[in-house]
């Protein structure tokens, strides 16, 4: 499904809850739309506590996080935590823990990092967002999944998959 845009070109995310379809997909023309989509997603689905982001390099994962952070009231710059592996943003409502597992090829190490960060995040009441979750081999039935891919037209397609619990 292609997103509907209002006159102000902000992306409107329909109510994803209650939809039984696996076709919760939207086309995003550019990074600004990806950021706006993240903002609207957070507003429409504030109950998300764990969001996994899958997609190739440059697909817009960190841009989606920027929008979510903006909606959570985080004013500091959001960057991909590829080298530090995790960034904490404690001033958000809720706080945000942003994890990037790209550099971890060993699932055991990725699992350990995630579980350590999850424990810390739970203490803070944080939203956890994980880029490259396929590096882990943990079963996370309560996680939301966002798959970001390029389309043939050079745009991005985002698919939101609710938890399987």
């Amino acid at each position: 499904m292609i997103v509907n845009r209002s006159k102000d070109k902000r992306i409107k995310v329909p109510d994803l809850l209650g939809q039984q379809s696996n076709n919760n997909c939207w086309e995003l023309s550019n990074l600004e739309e990806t950021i706006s989509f993240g903002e609207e997603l957070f507003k429409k689905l504030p109950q998300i506590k764990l969001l996994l982001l899958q997609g190739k390099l440059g697909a817009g994962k960190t841009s989606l996080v920027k929008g979510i952070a903006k909606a959570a009231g985080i004013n500091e710059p959001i960057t991909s935590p590829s080298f530090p592996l995790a960034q904490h943003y404690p001033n958000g409502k809720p706080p945000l823990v942003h994890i990037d597992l790209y550099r971890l090829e060993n699932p055991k190490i990725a699992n350990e990092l995630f579980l350590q960060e999850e424990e810390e995040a739970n203490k803070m009441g944080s939203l956890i967002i994980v880029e490259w979750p396929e590096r882990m081999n943990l079963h996370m039935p309560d996680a939301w999944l966002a798959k970001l891919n390029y389309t043939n037209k050079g745009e991005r397609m985002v698919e939101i998959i609710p938890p399987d619990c």
Side-chain angles (χ1 to χ4, degrees), residues 57-85:
L57 286 172
K61 296 180 297 295
T62 301
S63 295
L64 191 70
V65 176
K66 287 178 181 183
I68 292 169
K70 183 177 178 182
I74 297 169
N75 296 321
E76 57 191 290
I78 305 298
T79 59
S80 180
S82 293
F83 291 99
L85 301 176

Side-chain angles (χ1 to χ4, degrees), residues 21-156:
S21 171
N22 286 335
N23 295 322
N24 294 321
C25 297
W26 295 266
E27 280 188 19
L28 307 171
S29 297
N30 53 45
L31 290 178
E32 291 78 20
E33 284 190 3
T34 306
I35 292 169
S36 293
F37 184 86
E39 199 174 348
E40 290 296 318
L41 179 69
F42 180 81
K43 290 175 184 176
K44 294 286 185 181
L45 299 171
Q47 75 278 16
I48 294 177
K49 300 296 179 211
L50 175 58
L51 178 62
L52 308 177
L53 303 180
Q54 289 183 342
K56 295 181 180 184
L57 286 172
K61 296 180 297 295
T62 301
S63 295
L64 191 70
V65 176
K66 287 178 181 183
I68 292 169
K70 183 177 178 182
I74 297 169
N75 296 321
E76 57 191 290
I78 305 298
T79 59
S80 180
S82 293
F83 291 99
L85 301 176
Q87 298 280 13
H88 291 230
Y89 302 95
N91 296 323
K93 293 186 179 21
L96 171 64
V97 173
H98 182 196
I99 303 169
D100 187 330
L101 301 174
Y102 178 72
R103 294 188 311 122
L104 301 180
E105 294 184 20
N106 182 325
K108 182 179 178 186
I109 294 171
N111 292 348
E112 288 174 9
L113 174 69
F114 172 78
L115 293 171
Q116 180 181 10
E117 292 294 336
E118 181 185 41
E119 184 177 337
E120 176 93 14
N122 288 339
K123 288 178 188 174
M124 296 187 320
S126 297
L127 164 62
I128 305 169
I129 301 177
V130 181
E131 294 188 36
W132 301 94
E134 57 273 23
R135 303 284 198 212
M136 298 184 289
N137 58 10
L138 297 171
H139 178 64
M140 294 183 265
D142 57 339
W144 287 76
L145 176 63
K147 292 183 178 183
L148 293 102
N149 294 296
Y150 293 105
T151 68
N152 293 338
K153 299 182 281 185
E155 296 179 330
R156 290 166 176 84

